[in-house]
Structures are given as structure tokens and as C-alpha cells.
Amino acid sequence: MRSFAFKSLLQLALLLCAAFMFLPFFWMITTSVKTYADSVQIPPVWFPTQFDFSWYVQVFERVQFGAYVKNTVIMTIGRVLPQVLICAMAGYGFARLKFPGRDAIFVIVLALLMVPGQVVLIPQYFEVVKLGWIDTYAGLIVPQVFSAYGVFLLRQFFMSLPSELEEAAKIDGAHYGTIFLRVLLPLTTPALATMAFFGILWSWNDFLWPLVVINTDSMKVLSVGMSALQGNTRGGLEYPLIMAGAVLCTIPLIVFFVALQKYVVKGIAISGIKG
């Protein structure tokens, strides 16, 4: 009986936390369909007295939303695909291969997690300028294709796999490339999905780097382009317009998370417990 009461209280606490976390999203969605009068009313109203969906149409009219989506998708795919491959190979090397200085190099990789992005922003910008990558997809993608967190995550996952699989493959004459591609990599789907999800999340929400390397409006990504809605208003901040843009930017991330949720949870659990 006591155990049942504890579980009930725990579930209630979790539901309250979930509701508290969902509250900003609920406010964003309801505000996006309010009239301007409702959005500036004091005290604030949670539910619109009259639904106004025209704000979503105005998002497409006031900014180049289609171009922003295209640029963001290209940037995200261009970053995530090579990032997953590079981190998978590095994680396999640190977990399974023995070579001089392996542990020292891995410590250096982990140390990168403690370096703020602002520290390397200026050096990276000068490199991009020298390469002529300002206002290009290469400038958006190439400097961000490596992830120290991804190397750590995939190394932990490779270490959790049974060594007998690798030994059996070696007995059959398989070399390291075959073992990596055909034996171990197919077993790392949860970790790869987790890495891909976080890579998509970071790339989709990246603001500072695209703001620095992109100048023309047609090359902007969603995070930078949609910020123009705060200044592209008529007579003051139109909160429903801003929230409508935020909803449109959030929907793809929700779809990605729902599609990868099972693998993401499993990958985090395994990489966090085993190592």
C-alpha cells in the first residue's frame, strides 16, 4: 500500500512537471491565433476570444519563409550526416582500437566540451573569410561537422557492445573496416539516432554562427531570418505574428523527436549506464 502511494505521488509530481514544461508551448500556440487586441490585453488572457489564423499567412508574406526553411534543411542535413559518420568512426577508434596516445587524445576531445563556442568564433570566422565562404552553405556547414559530445556518446555505446562479436569477425578474416561497417555499426542504431537528433536540434536552433557568416537575406536560416519579425511589424510588436513564426519553426523538430523518440531514449540510457 505504501509503495502504491509513493508511485502515485511520483507520477503526480511528474505530471505536474510535464504540465509546467508544456505551459510555454501552450502559450505560444494560443497566442499565435489571438487577435492583436487579445495579445496585448492586461491582465493576459490564456484563450483567444476570437481565433485569427491570418498571422500564419502573414509570416509567409513578411519574410522569405520558404527560403529560410530550404537553407535550414540544407544546413542541418549537411552538418548532421557527416557529423554522425565522423563521430561514429572516432567513437569506434577510441573504444576498440589500441594506438599510442589514444587516451590522451580522447581527453583532449573531452576538453573541447568545456570550451565555449564564443572562444573559437573569431578564429573560425577569419578562416571562413580566407576561404571565401561568407554567404555560402560551406561556411554554414563545414566548421560545425565535428562534435566532441558525439564522439563521447558513440564511444560509450561501442564500449557497451560485446567484444565477442569483434573477435568472431576477426577469426573469419574481417578487417577493421568490415567489423566497423558490417558488424558493430548496425548495432548502434539507438546511439546514431540519438546523435542525429541532437545534431538536428543544435543545427536547427543555431543562431550565432549563421548570424556571423550570412549577410544576404536569401541565404539566412530560420533562426536568423525569423528574428526579423520583431522588427518587421506595424506600429509595435505583434506578438501573434512572432508566435506564429515560432510555431512554424518548432513543428519540424517535434516531428523529428516523435520519429526518433524510441531510439533517443534507448541510446541515452545505454550510453549513460554502460561505459
Side-chain angles (χ1 to χ4, degrees):
M1 187 66 181
R2 185 176 298 177
S3 177
F4 175 78
F6 175 76
K7 290 182 179 179
S8 299
L9 289 174
L10 180 61
Q11 291 178 357
L12 178 61
L14 292 174
L15 286 174
L16 291 175
C17 291
F20 182 76
M21 295 294 291
F22 179 72
L23 199 59
F25 295 98
F26 178 77
W27 177 262
M28 177 179 70
I29 294 170
T30 57
T31 303
S32 69
V33 293
K34 291 178 183 177
T35 61
Y36 178 76
D38 283 344
S39 69
V40 296
Q41 184 173 328
I42 296 178
V45 293
W46 282 93
F47 296 95
T49 57
Q50 180 181 352
F51 288 91
D52 185 0
F53 294 93
S54 65
W55 300 109
Y56 288 91
V57 177
Q58 293 187 45
V59 170
F60 290 87
E61 293 176 347
R62 300 205 191 178
V63 297
Q64 300 183 42
F65 186 80
Y68 299 161
V69 172
K70 181 193 73 171
N71 296 333
T72 306
V73 170
I74 292 174
M75 179 186 71
T76 301
I77 294 176
R79 286 183 182 182
V80 173
L81 289 182
Q83 190 177 90
V84 169
L85 179 60
I86 292 171
C87 292
M89 292 189 295
Y92 170 72
F94 286 123
R96 295 296 193 179
L97 304 182
K98 295 181 180 180
F99 53 89
R102 182 189 67 175
D103 295 338
I105 297 174
F106 183 65
V107 169
I108 294 174
V109 172
L110 290 182
L112 295 176
L113 292 172
M114 296 180 286
V115 178
Q118 294 83 353
V119 173
V120 297
L121 181 66
I122 295 177
Q124 283 184 338
Y125 175 76
F126 284 139
E127 290 296 326
V128 169
V129 171
K130 290 179 181 178
L131 293 170
W133 286 353
I134 296 296
D135 273 336
T136 65
Y137 291 121
L140 284 171
I141 294 170
V142 175
Q144 309 296 328
V145 295
F146 177 77
S147 170
Y149 172 78
V151 174
F152 169 75
L153 175 69
L154 292 169
R155 172 186 176 270
Q156 296 301 104
F157 200 96
F158 277 115
M159 290 181 66
S160 72
L161 298 177
S163 59
E164 290 78 7
L165 295 173
E166 190 174 5
E167 293 171 359
K170 289 180 179 179
I171 293 174
D172 292 337
H175 53 78
Y176 287 116
T178 302
I179 294 172
F180 170 70
L181 291 174
R182 303 184 62 178
V183 179
L184 299 182
L185 191 62
L187 300 176
T188 62
T189 302
L192 295 177
T194 303
M195 179 62 210
F197 172 75
F198 283 116
I200 291 169
L201 184 64
W202 291 330
S203 296
W204 198 270
N205 293 327
D206 189 12
F207 177 80
L208 183 58
W209 182 247
L211 180 66
V212 169
V213 299
I214 298 300
N215 298 320
T216 59
D217 191 54
S218 61
M219 283 295 297
K220 289 181 179 178
V221 297
L222 281 171
S223 58
V224 177
M226 298 303 285
S227 65
L229 290 176
Q230 298 184 41
N232 191 12
T233 56
R234 302 164 185 173
L237 286 178
E238 294 174 309
Y239 297 106
L241 176 67
I242 297 172
M243 293 302 173
V247 170
L248 292 174
C249 294
T250 305
I251 289 175
L253 291 180
I254 296 175
V255 173
F256 280 126
F257 177 76
V258 171
L260 301 177
Q261 180 182 13
K262 179 177 68 175
Y263 299 106
V264 170
V265 173
K266 183 177 179 181
I268 294 176
I270 294 176
S271 62
I273 295 174
K274 299 182 180 180

